[in-house]
Amino acid sequence: ELFDLATKEMLSGLENEKLDVVVSVGQPHATRGLVWTPLARSRWQLAVQRNHPLARRQRITPAEVAGEPLLVFCQRDYPEYWEIITGWLRQQRLRPRIAGENDGVDSLMAGVESGLGVALVTIRTAERLPKRVRLKALSSAPDPLCIAAGYRADRADDKPLAVFVEELRKAAAAAG
């Protein structure tokens, strides 16, 4: 069975053995008795409405990102996203102007498309872009986003689980 869960729910499901494996951003809480297998890495870009002044630019600076209303995934469900984005801006000594939190890619892109703000997304989001949204390169971007499969360390010898994780890795590699 497949479930769409927030990070806390996934980690809890692993801990209480209700889930066998999770696919998550990064390798959260690697010290909590979990094994993480990286599946894919994806570069960050800025999503802007096609008529936005930044849409004509080749590369966008972190200061320009911080100067725009920023649409983000909701902090409660996507804490890793928040850590990556706010940490990246803090490294640049910048503060984001959060204009709205969204519960998924579709609502985030709808906000960008309607001109409510800009959003930092990974290049893999390109396949879900509305026609009126453009992805722009960043002059200095956060480290590429890592998508990883995680499972309990005490299940490391579980052959069916190992086969499933390997199939996830192959599927991610084939998707590019």
Side-chain angles (χ1 to χ4, degrees), residues 3-141:
F3 303 96
D4 188 7
L5 303 170
T7 301
K8 286 182 184 178
E9 294 170 310
M10 287 189 283
L11 295 176
S12 175
L14 285 175
E15 288 173 8
N16 63 31
E17 300 184 39
K18 292 191 187 262
L19 297 175
D20 296 308
V21 64
V22 300
V23 176
S24 180
V25 170
Q27 298 175 14
H29 311 290
T31 60
R32 295 178 67 173
L34 303 177
V35 174
W36 292 94
T37 300
L39 302 174
R41 296 194 185 281
S42 190
R43 291 179 292 117
W44 292 93
Q45 293 199 324
L46 187 69
V48 300
Q49 183 193 51
R50 73 172 178 203
N51 295 329
H52 191 284
L54 293 178
R56 293 185 289 276
R57 303 278 312 283
Q58 286 288 76
R59 292 196 177 278
I60 311 302
T61 68
E64 290 170 315
V65 173
E68 293 293 326
L70 189 61
L71 303 175
V72 294
F73 292 113
C74 62
Q75 187 174 16
R76 180 190 71 246
D77 294 334
Y78 301 96
E80 295 88 359
Y81 174 87
W82 269 75
E83 288 173 26
I84 291 166
I85 300 308
T86 59
W88 171 67
L89 287 170
R90 271 195 313 271
Q91 286 175 342
Q92 312 290 325
R93 293 190 165 80
L94 299 167
R95 294 176 58 112
R97 291 180 40 211
I98 305 297
E101 294 188 41
N102 297 269
D103 65 355
V105 173
D106 293 331
S107 62
L108 185 71
M109 289 298 102
V112 171
E113 185 176 31
S114 66
L116 295 175
V118 300
L120 286 159
V121 297
T122 63
I123 195 75
R124 289 183 177 260
T125 306
E127 62 201 32
R128 298 184 67 180
L129 282 183
K131 290 181 182 181
R132 294 190 307 247
V133 174
R134 302 288 180 263
L135 287 182
K136 305 304 296 181
L138 297 163
S139 64
S140 169

